[in-house]
């Protein structure tokens, strides 16, 4: 500890500062102790994780944090941290009882999740420690833009057991990023003792072998040790552009939360010990013992705080709740709107380009259009290679390593740092290759789910402006983890758009719209069509395809096939063949956009043909086509002359062997057989 300057001490720190700290600590403790009363009276604060025992380190985090240049990611126990950073009693209570005036997000998150996005105090998840990745992402932006400041990730020591915390610290050390990870160590993860979490008594020791990382330890119960350590950590991280871990030894005076009973797993000796080491009581004793404050001065502060909290309580009780209908607000931000191509079609007759070329050239054009655009993922920037399929080929050479770079093989890290980096600047657009194949995306699902509700949870204060590219689908003999479709699963999450083009022009136009829009979009790329001549089309240089606009691929009057991706081409081929054979005229609607779905186009076509069939390569059971069929039945039942028919994969994984793959995936023969049955109905 000798390398940490002793800037603050009971003797050296000026009296005004000492009294201000006492006021912050007492205000934090008063609110902390008042919180359970709201629950008992059924007023609110249904979740409360007491901060008592963490007071020293939390005071220090909030005091060192500079809202003008730093970014703070507090966790659910950080009440005193937020008070120390400047949140008022009123703002704390609004959050605790979930009022519309809550600055964290208008009561849309669990109580005790304090934030103030306009001050760079970020609204974080209940998923313990997942904000470490967001802190790393915003630190990457700080470094990229050569700005001042650091990112603070505050968390409990047990959160360090999560894999994404290791990914975050590994990435921060690899990229030399100014992040301060604060582990508030109270010895327990709910009721699980630390010895059941890790072999090391101090979890920070697990990271001491990481290069470019400084690890510091402090007494989180002591105001001065905490303050000196946090000041040094912040200064060192900013000056050296490297990460720091601060492990602060704390005590948890109360239960983990209001739903926990610590007397069931802590004996009387331990319960007495933690109360004896109360940081607030210790600080009060020091002030009096060293004549830095009188009992009267402290009493006056306490009375002032009590009056402040009483006023804040009255305001909180009088403040309005969110209205029921407001739950539908801020699910997704408004997208970029095309004025030149409002329906997402064009009349260009230029030279046809392959789908992969359309993607590559659109990525490059958008990188030239917006210098605040970045792309990273696995294997995307290696000399002349650009991803496993070369979609990003040539981009690093043109735009440099700051904007185009490889990520570790850690899908959660790829998604989580994207969430973090776009927090720094609303102009930033991030494209990530979320996984080398769509079915490798599952390790990123924790961060994907997190990102889908960021805009809603913050009441529109933060929009994750991210395009997630995923090479999807079969017909390549890829087998497990290389040929599965996942759009049906992803479509169940509000707060994300999903598009799935079938032709080169739509791929280019949808990608441009994704990259210019606010919010997150999953861009599914049918990899079997990357170089397929049948998917090649002319592409206007500025082509744009709006979200939620289907495209008619073939006019018809006897049956409509609704489709997307690889099966669009099969459906068109089947329709042409059946027309030649005199079975009828089939209309083929290429959905292109799954979320939002062009339900108006769906209904209009069903009204026209009176028969509907949904075709896609995903499984029929649980696939996205089930939702399309349900929408048709719900919204256009009166126009139907027959049941809605579906064609897709059988309920089994897609096989690697070509014979097995062919037995699973839809093909022209199966689509034709189903169409004939429906036409004859």
């Amino acid at each position: 500890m000798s390398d940490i300057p002793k800037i603050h001490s009971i003797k050296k720190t000026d009296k005004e500062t000492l009294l201000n700290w006492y006021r912050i600590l007492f205000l934090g403790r008063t609110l902390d102790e008042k919180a359970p009363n709201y629950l008992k009276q059924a007023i609110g604060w249904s979740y409360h994780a007491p901060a008592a025992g963490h007071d020293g380190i939390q005071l220090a985090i909030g005091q060192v944090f500079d809202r003008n240049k730093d970014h703070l990611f507090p966790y659910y126990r950080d009440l005193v941290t937020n008070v120390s950073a400047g949140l008022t009693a009123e703002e704390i209570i609004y959050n605790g009882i979930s009022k519309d005036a809550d600055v964290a997000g208008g009561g849309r998150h669990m109580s005790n999740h304090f934030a103030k996005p306009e001050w760079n105090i970020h609204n974080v998840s209940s998923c313990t420690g997942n904000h470490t990745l967001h802190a790393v992402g915003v630190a990457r932006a700080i470094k990229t833009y050569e700005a001042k400041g650091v990112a603070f990730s505050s968390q409990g020591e047990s959160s360090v057991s999560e894999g994404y915390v290791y990914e975050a610290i590994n990435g921060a050390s690899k990229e030399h990023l100014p992040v301060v990870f604060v582990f508030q160590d109270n010895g327990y993860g709910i009721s699980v003792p630390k010895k059941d979490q890790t072999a090391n008594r101090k979890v920070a020791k697990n990271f001491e072998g990481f290069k470019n990382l400084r690890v510091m330890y402090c007494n989180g119960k002591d105001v001065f040790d905490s303050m000196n350590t946090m000041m040094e950590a912040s200064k060192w991280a900013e000056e050296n552009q490297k990460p720091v871990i601060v492990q602060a030894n704390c005590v948890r005076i109360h239960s983990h939360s209001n739903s926990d009973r610590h007397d069931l797993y802590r004996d009387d000796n331990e319960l007495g010990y933690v109360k004896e080491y109360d940081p607030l009581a210790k600080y009060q004793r020091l002030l009096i013992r060293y004549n830095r404050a009188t009992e009267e001065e402290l009493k006056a502060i306490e009375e002032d705080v009590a009056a402040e909290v009483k006023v804040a309580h009255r305001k909180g009780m009088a403040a309005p709740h969110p209205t029921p209908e407001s739950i539908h607000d801020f699910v997704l931000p408004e997208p970029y709107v095309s004025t030149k191509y409002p329906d997402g079609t064009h009349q260009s007759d230029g030279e046809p380009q392959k789908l992969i070329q359309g993607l590559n050239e659109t990525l490059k054009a958008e990188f030239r259009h917006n210098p605040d655009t970045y792309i990273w993922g696995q294997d995307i920037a290696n000399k002349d290679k650009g991803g496993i399929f070369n979609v990003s080929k040539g981009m690093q050479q043109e735009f440099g390593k700051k904007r185009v770079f490889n990520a570790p093989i850690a899908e959660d890290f790829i998604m989580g740092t994207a969430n973090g980096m776009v927090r720094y600047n609303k102009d930033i657009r991030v494209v990530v290759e979320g996984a080398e194949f769509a079915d490798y995306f599952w390790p990123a699902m924790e961060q994907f789910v997190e990102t889908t509700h960021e805009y809603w949870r913050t009441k529109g204060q933060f929009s994750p402006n991210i395009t997630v590219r995923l090479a999807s689908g079969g017909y390549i003999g890829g087998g497990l983890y290389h040929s599965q479709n996942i759009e049906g699963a992803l479509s169940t999450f509000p707060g994300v758009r999903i598009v799935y083009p079938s032709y080169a022009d739509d791929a280019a136009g949808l990608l441009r719209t994704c990259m210019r829009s606010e919010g997150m979009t999953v861009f599914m790329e049918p990899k079997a069509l990357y170089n397929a001549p049948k998917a090649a089309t002319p592409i206007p240089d500025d082509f744009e395809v709006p979200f939620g606009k289907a495209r008619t691929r073939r006019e018809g009057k006897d049956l409509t096939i609704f489709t997307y991706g690889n099966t669009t081409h099969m459906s068109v081929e089947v329709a042409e063949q059946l027309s030649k054979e005199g079975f009828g005229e089939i209309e083929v609607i290429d959905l292109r956009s799954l979320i939002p779905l062009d339900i108006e186009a769906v209904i209009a076509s069903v009204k026209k043909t009176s028969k509907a069939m949904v075709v896609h390569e995903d499984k029929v059971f649980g696939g996205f086509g089930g939702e399309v069929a349900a929408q048709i039945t719900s919204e256009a039942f009166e126009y139907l002359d027959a049941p809605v028919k579906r064609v897709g994969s059988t309920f089994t994984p897609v096989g690697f062997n070509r014979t097995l793959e062919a037995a699973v995936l839809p093909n022209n023969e199966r689509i034709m057989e189903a169409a004939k049955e429906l036409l004859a109905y």
Side-chain angles (χ1 to χ4, degrees):
M1 301 297 290
S2 59
D3 57 342
I4 299 176
K6 301 297 187 289
I7 296 172
H8 286 292
S9 70
I10 188 64
K11 294 181 179 179
K12 287 166 52 177
T13 304
D14 66 89
K15 183 173 181 177
E16 182 181 356
T17 299
L18 293 174
L19 293 180
N20 181 50
W21 290 351
Y22 185 75
R23 188 184 190 287
I24 291 168
L25 290 168
F26 193 80
L27 174 58
R29 181 63 63 86
T30 301
L31 292 166
D32 202 42
E33 292 180 346
K34 188 175 179 62
N37 295 332
Y38 288 98
L39 178 62
K40 291 173 184 175
Q41 298 174 61
I43 294 171
W45 233 303
S46 57
Y47 178 78
H48 171 238
H54 292 236
D55 313 69
I57 189 62
Q58 291 192 9
L59 173 75
I61 297 169
Q63 290 295 284
V64 172
F65 164 70
D66 183 343
R67 73 182 74 150
N68 296 310
K69 62 184 180 72
D70 297 330
H71 290 255
L72 173 59
F73 294 82
Y75 82 123
Y76 51 76
R77 201 179 299 283
D78 266 317
L79 189 154
V80 177
T81 300
N82 282 274
V83 171
S84 180
L87 264 68
T88 64
E90 202 173 309
E91 289 170 330
I92 295 292
I93 290 173
Y94 284 151
N95 176 278
I97 58 178
S98 304
K99 290 303 182 87
D100 190 50
D102 166 32
V103 292
R108 290 164 173 245
H109 201 357
M110 287 182 74
S111 51
N112 236 77
H113 289 65
F114 309 107
K116 193 166 185 175
E118 68 173 295
W119 283 4
N120 297 331
I121 304 175
H122 293 268
N123 183 318
V124 308
S125 173
S126 302
C127 297
T128 183
N130 87 333
H131 54 279
T132 51
L133 288 166
H134 308 158
V136 170
V138 80
R140 179 188 289 152
I142 291 170
K143 183 161 189 168
T144 298
Y145 289 93
E146 299 179 356
K148 298 291 186 183
V150 301
F152 294 97
S153 173
S154 177
Q155 56 205 99
E157 88 290 335
S158 297
S159 70
V160 179
S161 297
E162 295 282 7
Y164 41 72
V165 176
Y166 283 83
E167 292 178 20
I169 296 172
N170 174 62
S173 65
K174 182 188 78 71
E175 296 183 40
H176 297 202
L177 299 179
V179 192
V180 178
F181 301 97
V182 185
F183 302 163
Q184 298 185 37
D185 182 1
N186 63 30
Y188 283 96
I190 312 180
S191 66
V192 180
K194 191 165 47 177
K195 66 181 178 62
D196 292 344
Q197 297 282 351
T198 182
N200 274 316
R201 191 172 65 84
K202 294 183 182 294
V203 295
K205 288 193 174 294
N206 293 337
F207 302 94
E208 286 185 345
F210 280 50
K211 193 175 181 180
N212 307 313
L213 173 71
R214 184 176 178 185
V215 181
M216 305 166 69
Y217 300 89
C218 74
N219 180 358
K221 304 182 294 296
D222 182 82
V223 166
F224 303 104
D225 194 25
S226 297
M227 197 67 67
N228 291 330
T229 305
M230 284 304 303
M231 290 176 70
E232 173 65 10
S234 177
K235 181 173 178 287
W236 190 90
E238 183 171 341
E239 289 180 353
N240 292 277
Q241 291 295 287
K242 292 179 182 178
V244 179
I245 289 175
V246 173
Q247 172 140 351
N249 182 37
C250 305
V251 291
R252 201 184 75 199
I253 295 175
H254 302 297
S255 295
H256 165 76
S257 69
N258 50 277
S259 59
D260 174 48
R261 280 187 55 192
H262 66 167
D263 59 304
L264 297 177
Y265 53 89
R266 302 170 90 178
D267 60 31
D268 291 341
N269 288 335
E270 184 178 348
L271 293 176
Y273 164 82
V274 294
K275 288 180 181 178
E276 183 182 343
Y277 281 87
D278 182 345
L280 176 59
K282 177 187 176 182
Y283 185 60
Q284 185 183 52
R285 289 194 301 269
L286 285 173
L287 290 174
I288 294 172
R289 182 188 308 159
Y290 286 90
N291 296 317
R292 302 308 312 274
T294 64
E295 291 187 12
E296 290 74 19
E297 287 173 319
L298 299 185
K299 186 68 173 176
I301 290 173
E302 292 168 8
E303 289 173 353
D304 184 54
V305 164
E308 179 184 343
V309 171
K310 190 175 290 186
V311 170
H313 166 73
R314 286 200 296 267
K315 288 183 177 179
M317 294 301 293
H321 288 287
T323 60
E325 58 271 18
S326 71
I327 196 171
H328 300 290
D329 297 337
F330 303 106
V331 176
L332 272 168
E334 289 298 314
Y336 172 78
V337 177
S338 174
T339 54
K340 189 172 182 181
Y341 304 97
D343 62 352
T345 60
H346 63 90
Q347 304 301 320
S348 176
D349 57 359
E351 188 71 23
Q353 299 179 46
K354 291 183 177 179
L355 193 146
I356 195 168
Q357 183 182 356
L359 294 175
N360 180 264
E361 293 191 0
T362 303
L363 282 169
K364 290 176 178 174
E366 289 306 295
F367 265 64
R368 297 177 195 122
H369 170 74
N370 179 5
D372 294 307
T373 306
Y374 302 85
I375 185 170
W376 63 82
Q378 297 170 26
D379 195 33
I380 70 155
N382 188 7
K383 295 184 178 178
D384 291 329
K385 188 178 180 183
I388 191 74
F389 298 105
N390 272 339
V391 174
S392 56
K393 183 179 176 68
M395 291 191 67
Q396 191 179 72
Q397 290 90 326
E398 180 175 350
F399 303 107
K401 293 183 178 180
K402 279 191 174 183
R403 297 180 66 192
V404 182
F405 52 91
N406 290 319
I409 300 176
E411 292 79 8
D412 224 30
F413 178 84
I414 291 169
M415 271 301 305
T417 57
N419 181 317
M421 190 163 182
V422 295
R423 292 168 183 265
Y424 186 74
N425 183 328
K426 289 187 176 182
D427 294 330
I428 291 177
R429 296 292 185 274
V430 167
V431 181
V432 292
E433 191 165 291
E436 288 195 312
F437 293 83
D439 21 348
Y440 276 127
F441 189 61
W442 300 119
M445 281 303 292
E446 185 276 333
Q447 283 295 333
F448 172 81
V449 173
E450 170 75 10
T451 305
T452 62
H453 49 64
E454 293 276 15
Y455 185 68
W456 184 88
R457 198 179 71 222
T458 61
K459 201 178 174 184
Q461 294 179 88
F462 165 58
S463 171
N465 301 329
I466 304 166
T467 300
V468 183
R469 292 181 44 245
L470 294 172
S472 179
Y475 302 101
I476 65 166
L480 296 173
Y481 294 102
H482 296 77
S483 290
Q484 316 300 304
N485 285 75
I486 68 170
E487 67 273 9
L490 301 186
S491 69
T492 64
F493 295 96
V496 61
R497 305 180 185 96
I498 303 175
V499 298
Y500 208 136
S502 311
Y503 291 83
D505 54 354
D506 282 353
L510 283 166
L511 183 58
R512 177 167 284 108
T513 302
C514 291
M515 294 176 67
R516 294 193 178 188
S517 292
E518 293 188 355
M520 182 169 68
T521 307
V522 174
F523 190 92
M524 311 296 287
E525 301 172 6
K527 53 184 177 287
L529 299 178
Y530 276 145
N531 290 295
K534 63 184 177 182
T537 66
I539 307 175
D541 290 341
D542 60 350
F543 190 46
E544 300 162 345
V545 176
F547 299 124
K549 288 287 185 181
R551 186 168 180 176
T552 303
R553 294 294 175 186
R554 188 182 189 279
E555 296 278 356
K557 60 183 177 58
D558 301 310
L559 163 67
T560 303
I561 295 178
F562 298 100
T563 185
Y564 58 90
N566 286 308
T567 54
T568 301
H569 302 275
M570 300 175 195
S571 298
V572 171
E573 291 162 4
V574 166
E576 294 291 346
Q577 183 65 31
L578 290 178
S579 176
K580 288 178 184 177
E581 296 176 7
F583 281 91
E585 296 301 324
I586 296 177
E587 185 151 290
V588 179
I589 303 294
D590 182 358
L591 295 176
R592 300 192 293 187
S593 173
L594 307 187
I595 307 292
L597 180 67
D598 189 351
I599 192 64
E600 290 80 8
V602 171
I603 294 171
S605 187
V606 172
K607 187 175 181 180
K608 177 182 176 184
T609 68
S610 300
K611 292 179 180 178
M613 188 163 82
V614 183
V615 179
H616 59 50
E617 64 177 294
D618 195 8
K619 294 174 287 294
V620 171
F621 187 91
F624 184 75
E627 183 56 39
V628 179
Q631 289 289 325
I632 293 170
T633 304
S634 173
E635 304 299 326
F637 182 79
E638 62 189 290
Y639 307 118
L640 289 172
D641 289 342
V644 180
K645 201 167 188 66
R646 289 187 283 157
V647 178
S649 293
T650 56
F651 196 63
T652 180
V654 176
F656 175 72
N657 179 282
R658 289 281 189 173
T659 304
L660 292 175
E661 183 185 59
V664 173
L665 293 171
N667 54 33
N668 287 33
E669 184 179 346
R670 289 176 58 201
I671 297 170
M672 185 173 294
E673 181 183 345
K676 285 180 179 179
E677 289 180 6
L678 199 52
L679 285 166
Y681 191 88

